[in-house]
Amino acid sequence: MKTKPCPTGCIPRFTIPLHCDGLILIPSVTGHIFVCNPATKEFVELPPGTPNALLDQRVAFGFDPSSGTYKVARHFLRSYSEEQIDTEYDTGHEVLTLGDGRETLEWKATIDPPYPIKGRTPICLPGFFYWSAVQSVADADQGKLDTDVILRFSMCDGTFTVHPNPPCSSCLCPNDLMCELGGGKLCYVHSPSPLQVSIWLAQDVQNIITWSLRCRVNMPIPRSVRVFACASADKDMVFLAVDARNLFKCNLRDGSLETVVDMRYGLKYNRGEGVNFIHSELLFLHYMVPYVESLLRIGPC
């Protein structure tokens, strides 16, 4: 394990950061995974996991109440073969535990996922990781149509269970994502058009997930790629970021929006020596995490 400050340029191209109880995990497309605590200034590079046959790594990060520890999970491809009609994948899954008092950090293999996991950012709720997976692929007029499911991985017993997408979509489209609402609720943000968003809320009854439409939202500006969502302290509110640039606060009771900030022009950064600047049209993307300051140590006890 490496514990060090974050020097300029040490993080390769990365995917969406993840947050849990004051810790932020940054997975990169090269396979490097970093965990940092902004409050304690700790910055840790996790040991490498099982080699991945493709650069589509996604990592999950969250708290396991059954053991009182924090866990990182990652899926990987041992191998794959592309056929004329379909592609076969040999998919693996492993977990690393933080805060268990051990002197070294190591990845431990779990059972394999029942379906190939998609390269999408997963969601963690206490005790569970939620992944998007491809259940089947249909050939329609020489094209391919995915039928997706949600795989829920239990940190307690290390098993997967299979659950449906909401009825708005049979697959997790490029414009859609899963996220967490306040109070630890799983939700699904579906964007059928650049100016429309629907938010679906999951209900878990006896380990069976069903979906209900929470609200529909008419966006004041069109998205180009995706509407990101982030939980707020109020369970009836959620933050929505259009293309990670314009930030709104959404009232889930009626779908109304309140403008928070244009992140291109409304955020000021300090270079030091009292000099502030604005990024404006430079190619920066802003990611939201529901940050709560913590003194939790990342390194071994």
Side-chain angles (χ1 to χ4, degrees), residues 212-225:
S212 61
L213 180 62
R214 189 69 168 85
C215 70
R216 286 192 173 91
V217 183
N218 294 319
M219 303 301 297
I221 58 174
R223 60 154 174 82
S224 297
V225 182

Side-chain angles (χ1 to χ4, degrees), residues 18-180:
L18 304 174
H19 169 269
C20 185
D21 296 344
L23 303 180
I24 297 175
L25 182 141
I26 308 169
S28 73
V29 297
T30 61
H32 298 277
I33 302 172
F34 305 90
V35 182
C36 68
N37 186 336
T40 64
K41 311 302 182 185
E42 277 188 293
F43 190 88
V44 172
E45 180 180 356
L46 300 183
T50 302
N52 196 10
L54 287 177
L55 290 179
D56 64 348
Q57 169 182 260
R58 286 298 183 273
V59 178
F61 177 49
F63 180 69
D64 177 12
S66 66
S67 63
T69 59
Y70 294 84
K71 294 187 176 180
V72 182
R74 66 182 290 269
H75 76 85
F76 57 91
L77 293 177
R78 299 184 186 93
S79 63
Y80 69 99
S81 60
E82 295 183 350
E83 303 294 340
Q84 200 167 26
I85 299 177
D86 203 354
T87 303
E88 294 184 358
Y89 299 96
D90 182 6
T91 307
H93 187 268
E94 56 192 1
V95 171
L96 180 147
T97 301
L98 298 171
D100 58 359
R102 299 191 178 188
E103 290 298 323
T104 59
L105 300 176
E106 60 179 339
W107 294 96
K108 294 185 177 180
T110 70
I111 63 172
D112 291 345
Y115 302 109
I117 289 176
K118 299 186 74 169
R120 292 295 179 83
T121 301
I123 294 299
C124 178
L125 300 180
F128 297 98
F129 294 127
Y130 293 83
W131 302 91
S132 177
V134 180
Q135 185 181 44
S136 63
V137 178
D139 190 0
D141 297 328
Q142 298 181 347
K144 292 183 178 181
L145 300 176
D146 290 351
T147 299
D148 291 352
V149 291
I150 293 171
L151 298 184
R152 180 166 68 180
F153 178 79
S154 169
M155 299 184 217
C156 179
D157 59 22
T159 59
F160 286 96
T161 52
V162 182
H163 303 275
N165 269 0
C168 60
S169 178
S170 64
C171 67
L172 185 59
C173 300
N175 303 320
D176 298 350
L177 53 80
M178 292 186 291
C179 71
E180 177 190 357

Side-chain angles (χ1 to χ4, degrees), residues 146 167 170 182 234 269 286:
D146 290 351
S170 64
D234 186 343
Y269 301 85
H286 300 80

Side-chain angles (χ1 to χ4, degrees), residues 171-207:
C171 67
L172 185 59
C173 300
N175 303 320
D176 298 350
L177 53 80
M178 292 186 291
C179 71
E180 177 190 357
L181 291 187
K185 298 290 186 180
L186 177 68
C187 88
Y188 185 102
V189 179
H190 176 53
S191 183
S193 71
L195 288 170
Q196 290 183 317
V197 170
S198 60
I199 298 176
W200 292 77
L201 185 63
Q203 292 84 35
D204 186 348
V205 180
Q206 297 181 343
N207 292 323

